Amino acid sequence: MSTTVTDSGSQGPGSDQPPAQRVPRSRVIVASLVGTTIEFYDFYVYATAAVAVFPALFFTGEDETTKLLASMATFAAAFFGRPIGSVIFGHYGDRIGRKATLIGALLTMGIATFLIGLLPTYYSIGIWAPLILTILRFCQGLGLGGEWSGASLLATEYAEEGKRARAAMWPQLGAPFGFILANGFFLILTIVMQFGTAGHHAVGDHPFLVWGWRIPFIASVVMVLLGLWVRMKLEETPVFKKAERQGQKVKAPVVEVFKTSWVQIIQGTFIMLATYVLFYLMTAWVLSFGIGSPDNGGLGIEYRDFLVIQLLAVVLFAITVPISGWLADKYGRRSSQLVITSAIVVFGLCFGLIMDPALVGTGENVSVGRVLFFLAVGMTLMGLTFGSMSAILPELFPTNVRYTGSGIAYNVASILGAAITPYIAVVLNANFGVGSVGMYLSFAAVITLIALWFSPETKHVDMYTVGRKLVK
């Protein structure tokens, strides 16, 4: 088996490519995987802290649900930054290249995460603390908004014909890997520092609340430096280099993409909707539900115990991402996603049957097996739907606006499917019970099914084509 990829690796017939430049395949894999792992680590470190730490340190009041909702609102700020990041970084990614843009996205996310680790709390600087926290969270969104589409293009534009979805799954693995690193770090800290009571914690002098929670944020700088080192050794993708040689770049990619590919933006946005809703229910919301007080509709599980359950389930997410890529290459992107999304609809309808506190128990009486089963099913479906998205979305767009178009679709979907999902889920659960949260997921999945039905199969598209339109 070849250990290198060349400029002609995924090239369509009749191309006028010059002699190929050999690029180690391992370098492409590492560059696409390491960067997204770091970016998602930074993103999920915040998500974990937003549920277990920030309500106590950055918001005041007696009502725990109100403080949690305020913390979730800052969590959502990043998702409104992501489409802006996709436009900014997409412009430069389609104008000057994938490599330099990916480095800029990584730095944006890394600096914001590091500064969160140094931020004084409400009890030190008052209202400025949640305000600055929200700004830094927004900056995290800017960075991730530019990261995903660039890493996906790096994988797909180097891929061999017929294996593009399997190649594209490498940056997708950054999501479960980053989550495992983030929650694993918090788990180790809570064990070492002997912190972890059910419910949301009162402000006190416990070392974890004083300084321990800051360590995962500050330590991220080490991984950012590693990611920069890897990406500095990166070569520009052959697809972009060909477009550059032939003068096919556009001056304003964001204008061009809305002019020529606005239908694909809508399709890509709603194709991603169910994936986002599912993942942020299985990570951010379910953590608040699991460790929340039974008086507020939660299960009252110890924080450390729930992190262990969640980490076990995320392993299934990582395992099923490559399976998703294989299914998409063998059966097609659209066909496989139609089946998987239908399963998500059914899963949403089962929330009340599996996770109603009256059935699963609360506090010391919780059925851990039942909770683990629920998370395992959710994370398995998440891996199956998420794994091939880094092939599907880039394949919808022509080369000269691919970075911008795929990034906008992916990140507008993050507003609709992720920014408000934990917030809505908290409100729904508090007022109507956990079954209503599942209905919300099923509704989002039905919208995705409609988008998939009216979208084209992109398995055989030529990634070197500029300006072409897809038809079903």
Side-chain angles (χ1 to χ4, degrees):
M1 181 179 292
S2 173
T3 59
T4 62
V5 290
T6 70
D7 280 7
S8 57
S10 57
Q11 190 171 337
S15 172
D16 58 353
Q17 281 278 88
Q21 177 181 357
R22 298 175 67 84
V23 180
R25 188 177 305 279
S26 60
R27 184 181 301 175
V28 176
I29 291 172
V30 170
S32 61
L33 175 60
V34 169
T36 52
T37 298
I38 295 168
E39 295 272 22
F40 279 109
Y41 166 85
D42 288 353
F43 208 70
Y44 298 147
V45 158
Y46 189 102
T48 302
V51 171
V53 177
F54 291 163
L57 299 182
F58 288 89
F59 304 96
T60 60
E62 297 297 326
D63 186 71
E64 298 296 338
T65 299
T66 300
K67 291 197 292 183
L68 176 61
L69 287 172
S71 184
M72 288 296 187
T74 67
F75 174 77
F79 295 99
F80 292 94
R82 285 171 66 163
I84 298 174
S86 68
V87 170
I88 295 172
F89 290 106
H91 173 84
Y92 291 106
D94 285 327
R95 287 289 299 155
I96 67 175
R98 315 325 191 191
K99 174 181 175 178
T101 307
L102 281 168
I103 291 173
L106 184 61
L107 281 173
T108 301
M109 172 69 89
I111 292 172
T113 304
F114 178 76
L115 291 177
I116 290 173
L118 303 178
L119 184 62
T121 68
Y122 180 90
Y123 301 93
S124 297
I125 60 173
I127 194 66
W128 287 103
L131 177 61
I132 298 172
L133 180 67
T134 303
I135 293 172
L136 292 174
R137 177 61 175 170
F138 183 84
C139 290
Q140 281 191 315
L142 290 177
L144 191 58
E147 165 65 30
W148 179 86
S149 49
S152 297
L153 265 57
L154 178 65
T156 56
E157 291 183 347
Y158 267 116
E160 297 179 26
E161 191 67 32
K163 298 181 179 180
R164 199 156 54 225
R166 277 168 283 184
M169 70 88 187
W170 287 106
Q172 302 301 81
L173 279 173
F177 287 179
F179 186 89
I180 290 170
L181 285 173
N183 274 28
F185 206 152
F186 267 101
L187 176 61
I188 292 171
L189 283 173
T190 57
I191 293 173
V192 172
M193 303 182 76
Q194 299 183 345
F195 176 84
T197 56
H200 300 294
H201 313 288
V203 175
D205 59 357
H206 194 287
F208 182 81
L209 288 175
V210 175
W211 56 267
W213 67 271
R214 301 179 183 275
I215 297 175
F217 290 89
I218 296 173
S220 69
V221 72
V222 177
M223 293 193 294
V224 170
L225 292 175
L226 172 63
L228 288 174
W229 178 75
V230 171
R231 287 190 168 171
M232 289 298 289
K233 293 179 173 293
L234 192 63
E235 297 289 339
E236 189 54 77
T237 72
V239 174
F240 180 82
K241 285 192 288 187
K242 181 188 176 186
E244 188 174 41
R245 282 192 303 270
Q246 296 183 345
Q248 296 169 331
K249 296 188 298 182
V250 292
K251 292 183 178 180
V254 68
V255 175
E256 182 71 13
V257 76
F258 278 106
K259 180 181 178 181
T260 63
S261 304
W262 61 271
V263 172
Q264 286 81 8
I265 290 177
I266 295 173
Q267 290 171 336
T269 297
F270 289 106
I271 285 172
M272 273 297 303
L273 180 66
T275 303
Y276 266 123
V277 173
L278 175 61
F279 186 63
Y280 283 93
L281 287 180
M282 292 297 102
T283 54
W285 170 75
V286 80
L287 177 60
S288 68
F289 174 70
I291 70 174
S293 169
D295 294 335
N296 294 320
L299 298 180
I301 301 174
E302 295 289 328
Y303 179 46
R304 286 201 304 262
D305 293 341
F306 196 85
L307 284 181
V308 172
I309 297 171
Q310 205 170 27
L311 284 169
L312 289 174
V314 171
V315 172
L316 291 172
F317 179 16
I319 291 172
T320 49
V321 164
I323 295 174
S324 176
W326 179 82
L327 290 172
D329 277 336
K330 183 173 178 60
Y331 299 106
R333 286 72 160 125
R334 181 174 174 272
S335 299
S336 60
Q337 285 295 328
L338 281 170
V339 174
I340 295 162
T341 307
S342 298
I344 294 174
V345 174
V346 176
F347 177 59
L349 297 176
C350 296
F351 269 42
L353 298 176
I354 304 174
M355 290 294 281
D356 190 309
L359 299 174
V360 74
T362 58
E364 295 181 355
N365 297 318
V366 164
S367 172
V368 174
R370 199 176 186 120
V371 175
L372 179 59
F373 171 77
F374 173 78
L375 287 172
V377 173
M379 285 298 182
T380 296
L381 290 172
M382 179 61 204
L384 292 175
T385 184
F386 186 64
S388 59
M389 286 297 170
S390 56
I392 295 171
L393 297 190
E395 289 170 350
L396 286 172
F397 298 92
T399 303
N400 56 349
V401 293
R402 184 171 294 136
Y403 202 130
T404 303
S406 61
I408 290 174
Y410 182 83
N411 290 298
V412 170
S414 76
I415 294 179
L416 301 177
I420 58 176
T421 287
Y423 190 97
I424 290 177
V426 168
V427 173
L428 286 175
N429 182 59
N431 291 280
F432 306 106
V434 69
S436 64
V437 179
M439 292 294 292
Y440 175 62
L441 172 62
S442 295
F443 176 73
V446 168
I447 294 175
T448 291
L449 280 175
I450 296 171
L452 285 166
W453 185 260
F454 289 102
S455 296
E457 175 56 65
T458 59
K459 178 180 178 180
H460 297 295
V461 300
D462 178 5
M463 295 297 278
Y464 283 85
T465 304
V466 178
R468 54 92 176 96
K469 290 185 178 180
L470 297 175
V471 293
K472 185 174 177 181

